Every structure is written in C-alpha cells, then in structure tokens.
Amino acid sequence: MKLLEKLKGMEKTALKEIIESANLDELETSRVKYLGRKGVITDAIKGIKNVAKKDKPRVGQFINKIKQKITVLIAEKECSFREEEQARFENDDVTLPGIRREIGHKHPLIKTMEDIIEIFTRMGFKPVDSPEVETEFYNFEALNIPEDHPSRETFHTFYVEGGHLLRSQTSTTQIRIMERHKPPLQIIHAGKVYRPDAVDASHSFMFYQIEGFMVDEGIAFSDLKGVLEGFAKEYFGEDVKMRFRPHYFPFTEPSAEVDIACFICGGKGCRVCSYKGWLEILGAGMINPRIFEFVKIDPSKYTGFAFGMGIDRICMLKYGIDDIRLLYENDVRFLRQF
Ligand code: PHE
C-alpha cells in the first residue's frame, strides 16, 4: 500500500531528525513540526477520511503507532538534554570568582555640575529647567542685546529652522523665569549652551553653563559678592582667593568678571593660568533695570544680581584637565579615571 510506504518514510525522517537535534530548541522545533496542531501527524490523521473504508483501521493504527514513537523519543531526548544541563551546572566550581561586570559612573562634567548645584541649593537657590532651543527674543532682545548691538558678536549663535536658535547662554533662564514668576526669586539653572567657535584645547561648540540669580527688595552687589565667595570657599577650599574685575554685559549693570587665584601655581603664574596667576570662572553683575522692564517687574522696587559660570572650565580646573575636547570624546581610558 502506497500510503503506508509514505508514512514509513515520514517516520524514518522524523525519528532521525529528533535523534540528531542538538539542543532543546531544535527538539522543540521538531515537536511542533510533527506533533503540533498543524503538524505532519495531525495532517496524516486528518487524511484518514480519504482512505478506503476497509483500510481505515489499519492506517489509523499505523499513524497512532508512529505518533507514539515520536512522542516517546522526544520525551527521552528532552530528559537527556536536561540531565546534561544539570551535570554541567554541578561541575561548575561555585567557589571560583564571578565575572565582574563593569559599572558605569558619572561623567566628570555631570559630577561638577551636580556638586555646584548642590552648594547653591544649600544656599537657598531653587534649581529649574530651561529650554536649549530658543528664540532671538529670549537669547538676545529681552537681555538687552538688540540686533545691531556689538555684543551679539560675543554670543555667536547657531540658528535652526523656523526662526529658532540654540541658546548661546543660560541667561535666557532669567527672562523665562521672571516673566512668569514675581520676586522674591532665588534661582539656579545648569545646562548646555552652543556657540560656533573653532574647536581647540579650550573651546568647544557646545559647553555647559550655570546661571544663578536672585531678585528681591534691597538686593545689593555685596550680596552677589557674599554668595560667590561662599560658593568658592565651599567648592575650592577655605583659602581660595577671588577677585572681581569690572566688565561689560548688556543685561547687568554694573558688571564684573570673577577670577580665582590659580591653585596650580598659587598665583605665581603657570601654563594653566597662562602665566597670569588668575583664572576667570564667571561673569556676573546687578540685573540691568531694563531687563526688569521687559519682564514687567518694578525696577523702582526690586533689585537683583545674576551670574553665569562655565562648568567645563571649573571641571577642568578641579581635576587638572588641560584639554576641553577630552570631556566630549568619550574615551573610556580618560573617563575611567574619575
Ligand atoms: N551670560 C554671560 C556669558 O555667557 C554670563 C553672565 C551671566 C554675565 C549673568 C552676567 C550675568 O558670558
């Protein structure tokens, strides 16, 4: 009988396939192929209805036998795979040291940023978020930098589609917060800024700044000095020396740049401070009353100070890093050291 021959052939292939399966996954594939709902055996059983009536019992019994053989063989094979696995596990020497997985840690820049934020938070400053994609209004106009203003040059800017730009300073945060919230305000914000500078050891087209400001009745320049000196002592140590140099920013009046005495050479002059003995770390000043007009805060009642610090700079000083590019290249040999 031709059908029986065919079934015998199928049986042979099936048993061979199962015996040769190399692992549990392959075995499962064979099981589905032969015993599954749409499998070869199921098909064969369905096919019995086309067999001549007198042959039906014989064919039926034959298929059942094959099915049983396949089922038993699969069960045996599965059993032996599981035993092998168990044996492998038992042969393991559990006293051997485990595989050490490398654990990541904070990037030096992020660590610096968090340390600085933490100090200001303890002084009562509240951390806020602020967008990186901005409009000319927040990055320039509202900060008293009109289109033809020469200091636009200082804040060279990347423009993006739709009249937007990548902010070139975190001072945008002053406007963002003051236009929505009324004094007293004591705010800190850290984030990325972008300037199309040529990249070298001390310049990057993207870097981090921290902006802080305080607005209330009776805030004076001495408050700014007190806060910044408090910060410098906390971060760089009690004997840090600091100096304020007059400077110009359109959004502060008066304005200053703040230096700390180079702690590599103690102020004598070295490579790190370009033989000046001082390192500039931030810009600051009393918030220009014109800014208050923009955000509808009464300048006859309120005063305030603001400062903006370069985090990369401070990170490099703190850890003795002499090239800003190292902070952005993600070379694990460098990062591992922190
Ligand atoms: N935004 C200025 C800069 O990027 C720094 C600054 C902030 C100066 C706040 C004064 C007040 O150079």
Side-chain angles (χ1 to χ4, degrees):
M1 204 183 170
K2 240 177 149 188
L3 179 60
L4 289 187
E5 287 304 313
K6 231 176 99 184
L7 287 171
K8 262 189 201 150
M10 181 272 283
E11 177 187 9
K12 234 175 108 185
T13 333
L15 297 181
K16 185 163 177 279
E17 214 176 286
I18 293 162
I19 286 167
E20 284 173 1
S21 60
N23 51 42
L24 281 169
D25 283 347
E26 281 183 32
L27 189 64
E28 175 61 11
T29 311
S30 301
R31 195 192 61 76
V32 173
K33 179 167 164 194
Y34 292 101
L35 304 177
R37 253 185 334 118
K38 290 178 184 158
V40 176
I41 295 288
T42 322
D43 276 354
I45 292 171
K46 278 185 200 147
I48 294 176
K49 64 177 184 293
N50 306 322
V51 173
K53 202 169 173 203
K54 67 172 173 48
D55 295 328
K56 271 187 186 164
R58 209 148 59 95
V59 174
Q61 275 167 16
F62 196 74
I63 295 175
N64 268 336
K65 253 210 296 323
I66 300 176
K67 183 177 175 182
Q68 215 182 352
K69 272 197 207 162
I70 292 180
T71 312
V72 170
L73 190 62
I74 288 180
E76 280 174 4
K77 192 84 184 164
E78 184 180 341
C79 211
S80 81
F81 278 137
R82 297 216 185 275
E83 273 170 11
E84 261 174 45
E85 205 171 275
Q86 183 73 15
R88 216 178 309 133
F89 178 71
E90 278 165 8
N91 284 337
D92 280 350
D93 181 351
V94 292
T95 64
L96 282 173
I99 298 166
R100 227 176 102 191
R101 310 257 174 239
E102 288 219 40
I103 299 173
H105 61 88
K106 282 184 183 149
H107 190 282
L109 259 178
I110 299 299
K111 205 171 141 13
T112 309
M113 183 169 103
E114 287 182 357
D115 290 348
I116 299 174
I117 292 272
E118 206 252 334
I119 293 172
F120 282 107
T121 309
R122 264 191 278 132
M123 288 194 236
F125 287 81
K126 183 174 173 279
V128 298
D129 237 347
S130 194
E132 282 174 30
V133 179
E134 272 293 5
T135 60
E136 293 221 327
F137 177 77
Y138 289 100
N139 200 72
F140 294 122
E141 258 89 295
L143 286 166
N144 197 30
I145 318 175
E147 192 143 12
D148 51 359
H149 198 285
S151 82
R152 277 229 183 179
E153 295 281 302
T154 327
F155 301 103
H156 263 323
T157 305
F158 283 114
Y159 287 86
V160 292
E161 277 170 23
H164 288 84
L165 50 81
L166 300 179
R167 67 176 179 188
S168 54
Q169 48 180 339
T170 45
S171 297
T172 49
T173 313
Q174 293 181 35
I175 309 299
R176 289 254 169 215
I177 295 295
M178 288 197 286
E179 71 179 359
R180 293 234 182 93
H181 303 274
K182 294 304 150 210
L185 292 169
Q186 206 178 347
I187 302 292
I188 191 94
H189 166 69
K192 294 176 189 136
V193 299
Y194 303 81
R195 289 180 200 173
D197 286 334
V199 175
D200 62 25
S202 51
H203 292 89
S204 164
F205 51 83
M206 184 208 84
F207 53 100
Y208 282 78
Q209 280 189 334
I210 288 194
E211 190 84 8
F213 61 97
M214 189 167 176
V215 182
D216 201 353
E217 289 178 48
I219 299 284
F221 200 91
S222 51
D223 296 308
L224 171 64
K225 274 192 97 173
V227 164
L228 292 179
E229 274 170 12
F231 160 75
K233 286 207 166 107
E234 240 344 271
Y235 193 74
F236 294 107
E238 273 301 315
D239 2 287
V240 67
K241 271 198 281 175
M242 204 173 192
R243 74 173 182 192
F244 285 67
R245 269 184 295 109
H247 196 72
Y248 174 76
F249 294 107
F251 34 91
T252 45
E253 182 57 38
S255 304
E257 272 189 337
V258 176
D259 303 331
I260 56 165
C262 178
F263 46 77
I264 308 278
C265 61
K268 285 197 205 87
C270 68
R271 224 177 58 123
V272 174
C273 60
S274 319
Y275 303 95
K276 290 192 196 118
W278 295 92
L279 296 155
E280 180 213 320
I281 58 162
L282 61 91
M286 297 304 289
I287 296 175
N288 191 325
R290 283 193 50 105
I291 306 302
F292 286 140
E293 281 163 22
F294 268 111
V295 294
K296 303 196 169 54
I297 287 178
D298 182 359
S300 64
K301 188 166 171 201
Y302 293 106
T303 49
F305 66 73
F307 59 87
M309 238 186 282
I311 305 181
D312 302 66
R313 195 73 196 274
I314 293 179
C315 173
M316 290 166 74
L317 292 176
K318 179 94 175 177
Y319 297 109
I321 299 165
D322 62 2
D323 193 324
I324 193 171
R325 288 169 289 200
L326 288 165
L327 294 175
Y328 296 105
E329 280 167 354
N330 276 333
D331 187 331
V332 180
R333 290 168 304 178
F334 167 76
L335 295 175
R336 205 174 263 146
Q337 300 171 61
F338 299 93

